Amino acid sequence: MGRRLKHYKPQLAEELVDFYREQLYRELSHMFKWKNLPSTVPQDYLERSLVRHGNVLFYEHPDIGLDVLQAEVIGYNRHNQPTHARATVMTTNNEISQPIERVIKRLTDSSRAVEEFNPKTDGVLIRNREDGASMKDIVDHYAYRLALAQQAFDTSLLWANVPYIFQVSSDDVKLSIEKLFHDIFTGKPFVIVDKYLLADNKDRAGVPGVPYIGRELLDTINELMMKFRQAVGIETAGVDKAERVGKYEVDINKQHTKTVLQIMLEQRQIACENINAFFNLDVSVSVVGVGNNSYHHNEDLEELGEGDEYGTGDGGTEEFIED
């Protein structure tokens, strides 16, 4: 039996991958805006927990009141829907000293779901996606590739700073070439009077044969960011693209990102309906920058403005380009 070949990945500094991982998580943690949350429920913790861990338990604590905690599902019904959840929190002030377990309730459980709800034992599970998954799979996928492109850019930039390399036959020639470059960098003309000055280097390059491809790699990083935003549902027609973006490309991207974004939004909408019914609240959620698209409103995300073509400015924002 032949030996299995090993496939090696490029070695990346973990801090570089972490830099992009945290950057992507920051973007994801600010995609949605919640309204009328209880004062004991911080929105930043809620969204950060959803995108990083996938499930958050909304419940009533006997001392704190209404609260949210990162949770794990510990029971399912025949439709693979969560029935029980547990939240384990380690605090230094002992405000929560033991795991919190709740029976997960939904309005779809029965026609008497509201009447049968017990705030002491029951709660609502807010899910990031329909399967309760976090955004870790998508973030890790793109964070690694962004770090890989960044490392390639740094390497290209490093090679661009490698000094000229010359082969000389004497110290006099060495001093003459050093003077040549000194005069060049000070703006003085340098007249070669010795025709043999560069004779030793006529068949070899003065610099290593590594072309600078920094611009192409920056475009690659921008394209990766665009693909990431499409994957998680952030509407974008392009990121720092120099060329014009046709309306057809905008529409294609809209169709894809709207669908993915709606999956995340709908899970939050379902949670709002259950929370409002069981806890007598008026909580709503909307997509940042898309108007009042709260859970009461099920219409599509706002359309882009009219026009035939769009472009991106220096900051990566969409601009309408008139012919």
Side-chain angles (χ1 to χ4, degrees), residues 90-139:
M90 301 298 294
T91 62
T92 57
N93 59 1
N94 296 320
E95 59 183 353
I96 299 179
S97 57
Q98 59 186 359
I100 302 295
E101 292 190 12
R102 291 292 186 271
V103 178
I104 302 305
K105 295 294 185 177
R106 291 171 292 272
L107 290 172
T108 55
D109 289 340
S110 72
S111 59
R112 294 181 52 80
V114 175
E115 290 81 0
E116 296 173 350
F117 184 83
N118 184 351
K120 295 182 179 180
T121 59
D122 302 335
V124 172
L125 191 67
I126 309 173
R127 314 195 86 186
N128 180 57
R129 292 193 275 183
E130 76 281 3
D131 56 355
S134 68
M135 305 304 291
K136 183 178 184 302
D137 54 343
I138 296 177
V139 167

Side-chain angles (χ1 to χ4, degrees), residues 28-213:
L28 294 175
S29 298
H30 296 86
M31 287 178 61
F32 298 97
K33 178 173 60 178
W34 294 73
K35 290 184 179 180
N36 302 323
L37 284 171
S39 59
T40 50
V41 176
Q43 176 179 323
D44 56 349
Y45 171 85
L46 173 58
E47 276 299 323
R48 186 171 67 250
S49 299
L50 284 171
V51 300
R52 290 176 182 262
H53 301 281
N55 293 302
V56 170
L57 176 65
F58 190 102
Y59 73 106
E60 184 174 333
H61 191 275
D63 300 322
I64 300 173
L66 296 178
D67 190 26
V68 289
L69 290 174
Q70 299 168 13
E72 59 174 335
V73 177
I74 57 174
Y76 295 89
N77 64 12
R78 68 186 187 281
H79 295 142
N80 206 33
Q81 292 290 326
T83 58
H84 295 77
R86 178 193 295 127
T88 303
V89 183
M90 301 298 294
T91 62
T92 57
N93 59 1
N94 296 320
E95 59 183 353
I96 299 179
S97 57
Q98 59 186 359
I100 302 295
E101 292 190 12
R102 291 292 186 271
V103 178
I104 302 305
K105 295 294 185 177
R106 291 171 292 272
L107 290 172
T108 55
D109 289 340
S110 72
S111 59
R112 294 181 52 80
V114 175
E115 290 81 0
E116 296 173 350
F117 184 83
N118 184 351
K120 295 182 179 180
T121 59
D122 302 335
V124 172
L125 191 67
I126 309 173
R127 314 195 86 186
N128 180 57
R129 292 193 275 183
E130 76 281 3
D131 56 355
S134 68
M135 305 304 291
K136 183 178 184 302
D137 54 343
I138 296 177
V139 167
D140 286 350
H141 177 86
Y142 284 98
Y144 175 81
R145 283 153 180 81
L146 283 164
L148 191 62
Q150 182 66 52
Q151 180 169 280
F153 174 81
D154 294 343
T155 302
S156 181
L157 201 59
L158 179 65
W159 276 107
N161 284 275
V162 172
Y164 281 72
I165 301 173
F166 287 93
Q167 176 178 291
V168 298
S169 56
S170 67
D171 288 342
D172 290 340
V173 176
K174 172 179 175 288
L175 292 174
S176 296
I177 292 178
E178 289 178 347
K179 184 177 186 305
L180 181 152
F181 276 84
H182 177 269
D183 287 349
I184 289 175
F185 283 111
T186 55
K188 297 179 181 178
F190 186 88
V191 180
I192 299 177
V193 297
D194 185 355
K195 65 180 179 179
Y196 298 108
L197 180 62
L198 302 177
D200 292 332
N201 298 274
K202 64 180 180 180
D203 296 325
R204 60 194 303 272
V207 292
V210 180
Y212 175 69
I213 54 172

